[in-house]
Amino acid sequence: MTLLDTLHITYDVVTPEHVEMSMPISEEIYQPHGFLHGGATLALLESCASRGAEARTDFDKELPFGLESDIRHKKPGKSGVLHGFADLEHEDPSYGGRKQFWHVVAKDDAGDVVSEGTFITKIVTKEHFAEKNCQREQR
């Protein structure tokens, strides 16, 4: 079972530049005060950006990884469905591969923004990944 299964996250739209996913808000993912846990929201948003990175990855030669998130929570969630969106802002060359900057937004059923920010992914060549692993093992 994956985290997506545990959180009941489903794919709605997946393209190399845009991803939409959904997650039901339930008591299972509340924080102690009875509202949607920010970590569950982050999991949804990271999953959106990561799925977009996967859509831009040549798995014969590359591997995608999440690097960094900068998310602001703007409104609590209590019920309904949380809708996650990731849109590719830009992609830059980076040592061993390329970085992608995704604008991510979580909205409630009313269309109000619950959380918003940036998630950075990196697509690394398998060759670079193998070199780094060898260096780590030699330490």
Side-chain angles (χ1 to χ4, degrees):
M1 179 176 269
T2 68
L3 181 61
L4 295 177
D5 296 327
T6 300
L7 296 176
H8 307 289
I9 294 174
T10 58
Y11 298 103
D12 300 321
V13 175
V14 177
T15 74
E17 289 82 28
H18 177 79
V19 175
E20 298 179 18
M21 301 171 93
S22 300
M23 177 179 70
I25 300 172
S26 66
E27 291 181 13
E28 295 172 324
I29 57 173
Y30 281 179
Q31 40 92 311
H33 306 289
F35 294 95
L36 172 65
H37 194 290
T41 303
L42 290 173
L44 173 65
L45 294 176
E46 179 170 350
S47 296
C48 287
S50 294
R51 184 61 187 97
E54 289 173 356
R56 301 178 67 79
T57 299
D58 177 351
F59 283 97
D60 291 333
K61 301 175 188 172
E62 303 171 315
L63 295 169
F65 295 94
L67 286 184
E68 182 178 330
S69 63
D70 180 15
I71 309 299
R72 291 162 304 290
H73 300 297
K74 299 181 173 198
K75 177 185 175 187
K78 188 74 174 174
S79 63
V81 175
L82 191 64
H83 306 276
F85 304 89
D87 289 293
L88 181 65
E89 291 183 331
H90 59 94
E91 185 174 83
D92 296 332
S94 180
Y95 177 67
R98 59 193 190 277
K99 284 185 183 178
Q100 299 168 333
F101 297 78
W102 295 88
H103 178 250
V104 292
V105 179
K107 295 182 179 181
D108 61 17
D109 285 328
D112 294 335
V113 174
V114 173
S115 301
E116 181 174 27
T118 301
F119 192 82
I120 301 171
T121 58
K122 184 170 183 178
I123 298 176
V124 179
T125 66
K126 286 185 176 182
E127 180 181 332
H128 177 76
F129 188 72
E131 288 173 15
K132 286 300 210 180
N133 279 339
C134 283
Q135 290 172 2
R136 287 182 189 103
E137 290 173 5
Q138 293 174 355
R139 292 183 195 158

